Amino acid sequence: MEHINDEIKFLTSTVKGIARQFGDNCEVVLLDLTQHEKYGSGLIVLIENGHVTGRKVGDTGTNLGLEVLRGTDQEGDKHNYLTKTKDGRMLRSTTMYIRNSENYPVGCICINFDITSLMMAETAIKEFTDLNKINTDVKEVFVNNVNDVLAVLLQEVQSFIGKPVAHMSKNDKLKGIKYLDEKGAFLIQKSGDKICEYFGISKYTLYNYLDIIRKEQDM
Protein backbone atom coordinates (compact mmCIF):
# COMPACT_ATOMS: atom_id res chain seq x y z
CA MET A 1 0.00 0.00 0.00
CA GLU A 2 2.88 2.35 0.84
CA HIS A 3 4.35 1.70 -2.62
CA ILE A 4 1.04 2.62 -4.27
CA ASN A 5 0.76 5.79 -2.20
CA ASP A 6 4.30 6.80 -3.27
CA GLU A 7 3.33 6.35 -6.93
CA ILE A 8 0.20 8.45 -6.46
CA LYS A 9 2.24 11.20 -4.79
CA PHE A 10 4.76 11.16 -7.62
CA LEU A 11 2.08 11.26 -10.34
CA THR A 12 0.24 14.06 -8.55
CA SER A 13 3.45 16.04 -8.23
CA THR A 14 4.23 15.44 -11.92
CA VAL A 15 0.82 16.63 -13.09
CA LYS A 16 0.93 19.77 -10.95
CA GLY A 17 4.56 20.47 -11.88
CA ILE A 18 3.94 20.35 -15.63
CA ALA A 19 0.89 22.59 -15.32
CA ARG A 20 2.73 25.19 -13.26
CA GLN A 21 5.74 25.10 -15.55
CA PHE A 22 3.72 25.95 -18.68
CA GLY A 23 0.94 28.06 -17.18
CA ASP A 24 -2.81 28.41 -17.48
CA ASN A 25 -2.98 27.36 -21.13
CA CYS A 26 -1.57 23.92 -20.30
CA GLU A 27 -4.06 21.29 -19.21
CA VAL A 28 -2.58 18.19 -17.55
CA VAL A 29 -4.77 15.17 -16.86
CA LEU A 30 -4.27 11.92 -14.94
CA LEU A 31 -6.61 9.06 -15.85
CA ASP A 32 -7.17 5.79 -14.00
CA LEU A 33 -7.62 2.94 -16.50
CA THR A 34 -7.70 0.07 -14.00
CA GLN A 35 -11.49 -0.09 -14.40
CA HIS A 36 -11.22 -0.18 -18.17
CA GLU A 37 -14.24 -2.44 -18.56
CA LYS A 38 -16.30 0.53 -17.37
CA TYR A 39 -14.79 3.03 -19.83
CA GLY A 40 -17.02 5.97 -19.11
CA SER A 41 -17.29 8.58 -16.38
CA GLY A 42 -14.87 8.57 -13.47
CA LEU A 43 -11.64 8.00 -15.42
CA ILE A 44 -10.18 11.44 -14.75
CA VAL A 45 -8.83 11.39 -11.20
CA LEU A 46 -6.74 14.56 -11.35
CA ILE A 47 -6.77 17.53 -13.70
CA GLU A 48 -5.02 20.90 -13.76
CA ASN A 49 -6.31 23.81 -15.89
CA GLY A 50 -9.38 21.85 -16.94
CA HIS A 51 -10.83 25.00 -18.53
CA VAL A 52 -8.70 24.23 -21.61
CA THR A 53 -10.97 21.36 -22.67
CA GLY A 54 -13.81 22.05 -20.23
CA ARG A 55 -13.31 18.76 -18.35
CA LYS A 56 -13.15 18.01 -14.64
CA VAL A 57 -12.41 15.20 -12.20
CA GLY A 58 -14.89 12.39 -12.79
CA ASP A 59 -15.19 12.95 -16.53
CA THR A 60 -14.25 10.39 -19.17
CA GLY A 61 -11.25 9.85 -21.41
CA THR A 62 -11.02 10.24 -25.19
CA ASN A 63 -11.35 7.89 -28.13
CA LEU A 64 -7.58 7.27 -28.11
CA GLY A 65 -7.84 5.47 -24.79
CA LEU A 66 -10.43 3.10 -26.20
CA GLU A 67 -8.11 2.13 -29.05
CA VAL A 68 -5.26 1.38 -26.65
CA LEU A 69 -7.41 -0.68 -24.27
CA ARG A 70 -8.96 -2.59 -27.16
CA GLY A 71 -5.48 -3.38 -28.47
CA THR A 72 -6.07 -1.66 -31.79
CA ASP A 73 -3.26 0.77 -30.98
CA GLN A 74 -0.30 -1.20 -29.65
CA GLU A 75 2.02 1.77 -29.38
CA GLY A 76 -0.23 3.92 -27.23
CA ASP A 77 1.99 6.90 -26.47
CA LYS A 78 1.62 9.88 -28.79
CA HIS A 79 3.70 13.02 -28.59
CA ASN A 80 3.17 16.55 -29.87
CA TYR A 81 0.07 16.03 -32.02
CA LEU A 82 -2.60 18.54 -32.99
CA THR A 83 -6.09 18.39 -31.52
CA LYS A 84 -9.11 20.67 -31.43
CA THR A 85 -11.66 21.46 -28.72
CA LYS A 86 -15.40 21.49 -29.28
CA ASP A 87 -15.35 25.29 -29.56
CA GLY A 88 -12.58 25.23 -32.17
CA ARG A 89 -9.47 26.08 -30.14
CA MET A 90 -6.25 24.38 -31.28
CA LEU A 91 -4.18 22.26 -28.90
CA ARG A 92 -0.76 20.64 -28.99
CA SER A 93 -1.21 17.37 -27.15
CA THR A 94 0.79 14.48 -25.72
CA THR A 95 -0.54 11.25 -24.24
CA MET A 96 1.69 8.91 -22.20
CA TYR A 97 0.44 5.61 -20.81
CA ILE A 98 1.35 4.11 -17.46
CA ARG A 99 1.73 0.33 -17.71
CA ASN A 100 1.90 -2.47 -15.15
CA SER A 101 4.43 -5.31 -15.03
CA GLU A 102 2.46 -7.12 -17.73
CA ASN A 103 2.71 -4.06 -20.02
CA TYR A 104 -1.00 -3.40 -19.71
CA PRO A 105 -2.15 0.25 -19.52
CA VAL A 106 -3.42 1.14 -16.05
CA GLY A 107 -3.39 4.89 -16.41
CA CYS A 108 -2.20 7.77 -18.53
CA ILE A 109 -1.07 11.36 -18.35
CA CYS A 110 -2.34 13.75 -21.01
CA ILE A 111 -0.96 17.20 -21.74
CA ASN A 112 -3.03 19.64 -23.81
CA PHE A 113 -1.51 23.05 -24.52
CA ASP A 114 -3.82 25.69 -26.00
CA ILE A 115 -1.90 27.30 -28.88
CA THR A 116 -4.84 29.22 -30.36
CA SER A 117 -3.59 32.66 -29.31
CA LEU A 118 -0.07 31.80 -30.47
CA MET A 119 -1.38 30.76 -33.89
CA MET A 120 -3.34 34.02 -34.16
CA ALA A 121 -0.22 35.98 -33.22
CA GLU A 122 1.79 34.03 -35.79
CA THR A 123 -0.75 34.89 -38.48
CA ALA A 124 -0.62 38.58 -37.54
CA ILE A 125 3.19 38.59 -37.58
CA LYS A 126 3.31 36.87 -40.97
CA GLU A 127 0.90 39.47 -42.33
CA PHE A 128 3.39 42.19 -41.42
CA THR A 129 6.56 40.35 -42.44
CA ASP A 130 5.43 38.69 -45.68
CA LEU A 131 7.95 40.07 -48.19
CA ASN A 132 5.58 39.17 -51.03
CA LYS A 133 3.27 41.90 -49.75
CA ILE A 134 6.00 44.45 -49.06
CA ASN A 135 7.46 46.81 -51.67
CA THR A 136 11.16 45.96 -51.59
CA ASP A 137 12.03 48.16 -54.60
CA VAL A 138 12.24 51.32 -52.48
CA LYS A 139 15.72 51.85 -51.03
CA GLU A 140 15.66 54.25 -48.09
CA VAL A 141 18.63 54.66 -45.77
CA PHE A 142 18.43 56.32 -42.36
CA VAL A 143 21.58 58.27 -41.50
CA ASN A 144 22.67 61.13 -39.25
CA ASN A 145 23.89 63.60 -41.85
CA VAL A 146 23.65 64.26 -45.58
CA ASN A 147 27.25 63.22 -46.26
CA ASP A 148 26.34 59.71 -45.17
CA VAL A 149 23.55 59.74 -47.77
CA LEU A 150 26.12 60.55 -50.47
CA ALA A 151 28.39 57.75 -49.22
CA VAL A 152 25.52 55.28 -49.54
CA LEU A 153 24.72 56.48 -53.06
CA LEU A 154 28.34 56.04 -54.10
CA GLN A 155 28.22 52.46 -52.78
CA GLU A 156 25.07 51.86 -54.81
CA VAL A 157 26.83 53.02 -57.99
CA GLN A 158 29.26 50.11 -57.86
CA SER A 159 26.37 47.63 -57.50
CA PHE A 160 24.46 49.40 -60.26
CA ILE A 161 27.38 49.26 -62.72
CA GLY A 162 28.48 45.81 -61.58
CA LYS A 163 32.21 46.46 -61.32
CA PRO A 164 34.64 48.42 -59.11
CA VAL A 165 35.39 51.99 -60.17
CA ALA A 166 38.97 51.08 -61.12
CA HIS A 167 37.60 48.92 -63.94
CA MET A 168 34.93 51.34 -65.15
CA SER A 169 35.11 52.66 -68.68
CA LYS A 170 34.02 56.14 -69.72
CA ASN A 171 30.56 54.81 -70.54
CA ASP A 172 30.39 53.11 -67.15
CA LYS A 173 31.25 56.35 -65.42
CA LEU A 174 28.67 58.20 -67.48
CA LYS A 175 26.05 55.66 -66.36
CA GLY A 176 27.21 56.00 -62.77
CA ILE A 177 27.03 59.79 -62.80
CA LYS A 178 23.61 59.61 -64.47
CA TYR A 179 22.48 57.28 -61.65
CA LEU A 180 23.74 59.76 -59.04
CA ASP A 181 22.09 62.67 -60.84
CA GLU A 182 18.72 60.90 -60.94
CA LYS A 183 19.05 60.08 -57.23
CA GLY A 184 19.57 63.77 -56.46
CA ALA A 185 23.20 63.42 -55.36
CA PHE A 186 24.18 66.75 -56.88
CA LEU A 187 21.70 68.56 -54.64
CA ILE A 188 23.99 67.74 -51.72
CA GLN A 189 26.35 70.61 -50.93
CA LYS A 190 29.93 70.05 -52.17
CA SER A 191 28.99 66.61 -53.50
CA GLY A 192 30.89 67.28 -56.72
CA ASP A 193 34.28 67.08 -54.98
CA LYS A 194 33.55 63.65 -53.51
CA ILE A 195 32.06 62.32 -56.73
CA CYS A 196 35.14 63.47 -58.68
CA GLU A 197 37.37 61.77 -56.12
CA TYR A 198 35.31 58.57 -56.32
CA PHE A 199 35.48 58.33 -60.11
CA GLY A 200 39.03 59.68 -60.35
CA ILE A 201 38.06 62.52 -62.68
CA SER A 202 38.45 66.29 -62.69
CA LYS A 203 35.64 68.74 -62.07
CA TYR A 204 35.86 69.78 -65.70
CA THR A 205 35.28 66.16 -66.76
CA LEU A 206 32.44 65.79 -64.28
CA TYR A 207 30.61 68.84 -65.58
CA ASN A 208 31.26 67.70 -69.14
CA TYR A 209 29.71 64.31 -68.33
CA LEU A 210 26.73 65.99 -66.67
CA ASP A 211 26.24 68.17 -69.73
CA ILE A 212 26.23 65.08 -71.99
CA ILE A 213 23.78 63.25 -69.71
CA ARG A 214 21.33 66.12 -69.40
CA LYS A 215 21.36 66.87 -73.12
CA GLU A 216 20.46 63.23 -73.79
CA GLN A 217 17.59 63.52 -71.31
CA ASP A 218 16.24 66.62 -73.07
CA MET A 219 16.24 64.93 -76.49
Side-chain angles (χ1 to χ4, degrees):
M1 181 66 71
E2 183 177 349
H3 175 67
I4 294 175
N5 288 335
D6 287 343
E7 287 183 346
I8 293 174
K9 288 180 181 178
F10 173 75
L11 292 172
T12 300
S13 176
T14 299
V15 168
K16 291 182 178 295
I18 295 172
R20 290 175 184 174
Q21 172 69 26
F22 295 102
D24 293 342
N25 286 331
C26 182
E27 176 190 81
V28 189
V29 188
L30 176 63
L31 291 91
D32 178 5
L33 301 180
T34 55
Q35 303 296 322
H36 63 275
E37 66 277 2
K38 299 178 181 178
Y39 196 88
S41 61
L43 294 183
I44 297 179
V45 295
L46 179 63
I47 186 168
E48 294 289 321
N49 298 324
H51 60 272
V52 171
T53 62
R55 295 181 297 172
K56 62 185 183 302
V57 171
D59 284 348
T60 189
T62 69
N63 57 300
L64 294 184
L66 286 172
E67 294 176 12
V68 172
L69 291 172
R70 178 64 179 80
T72 305
D73 185 351
Q74 297 292 333
E75 181 69 21
D77 290 1
K78 290 180 173 57
H79 305 100
N80 196 30
Y81 58 94
L82 191 66
T83 54
K84 185 185 292 186
T85 63
K86 289 187 295 185
D87 58 1
R89 284 176 293 119
M90 306 302 294
L91 312 177
R92 281 179 64 169
S93 300
T94 288
T95 298
M96 300 170 289
Y97 285 88
I98 304 163
R99 298 177 181 273
N100 59 18
S101 58
E102 298 176 352
N103 200 36
Y104 196 82
V106 294
C108 73
I109 293 178
C110 302
I111 303 171
N112 301 301
F113 194 95
D114 188 346
I115 60 171
T116 308
S117 58
L118 296 175
M119 293 178 69
M120 292 173 64
E122 180 186 29
T123 300
I125 291 171
K126 283 184 176 179
E127 182 68 24
F128 279 98
T129 59
D130 186 355
L131 296 182
N132 293 321
K133 297 182 180 179
I134 297 176
N135 185 357
T136 57
D137 295 331
V138 179
K139 296 180 180 179
E140 183 176 17
V141 180
F142 298 96
V143 295
N144 294 328
N145 61 73
V146 72
N147 289 325
D148 290 338
V149 174
L150 180 58
V152 170
L153 290 175
L154 289 174
Q155 290 175 2
E156 289 181 1
V157 166
Q158 182 167 311
S159 298
F160 176 72
I161 301 300
K163 63 179 72 171
V165 67
H167 296 284
M168 289 184 189
S169 64
K170 177 183 176 180
N171 285 334
D172 292 331
K173 291 179 180 181
L174 279 166
K175 289 179 182 178
I177 291 169
K178 180 180 179 182
Y179 177 88
L180 291 171
D181 189 30
E182 291 175 347
K183 295 295 183 180
F186 291 98
L187 298 176
I188 299 173
Q189 190 175 12
K190 296 182 179 180
S191 62
D193 293 337
K194 292 186 177 180
I195 292 172
C196 286
E197 182 181 352
Y198 176 80
F199 284 106
I201 58 177
S202 66
K203 276 195 173 181
Y204 173 82
T205 301
L206 174 62
Y207 293 133
N208 184 44
Y209 284 178
L210 278 173
D211 189 51
I212 294 172
I213 292 165
R214 289 170 179 174
K215 282 182 178 178
E216 288 179 350
Q217 290 173 339
D218 292 337
M219 290 178 63

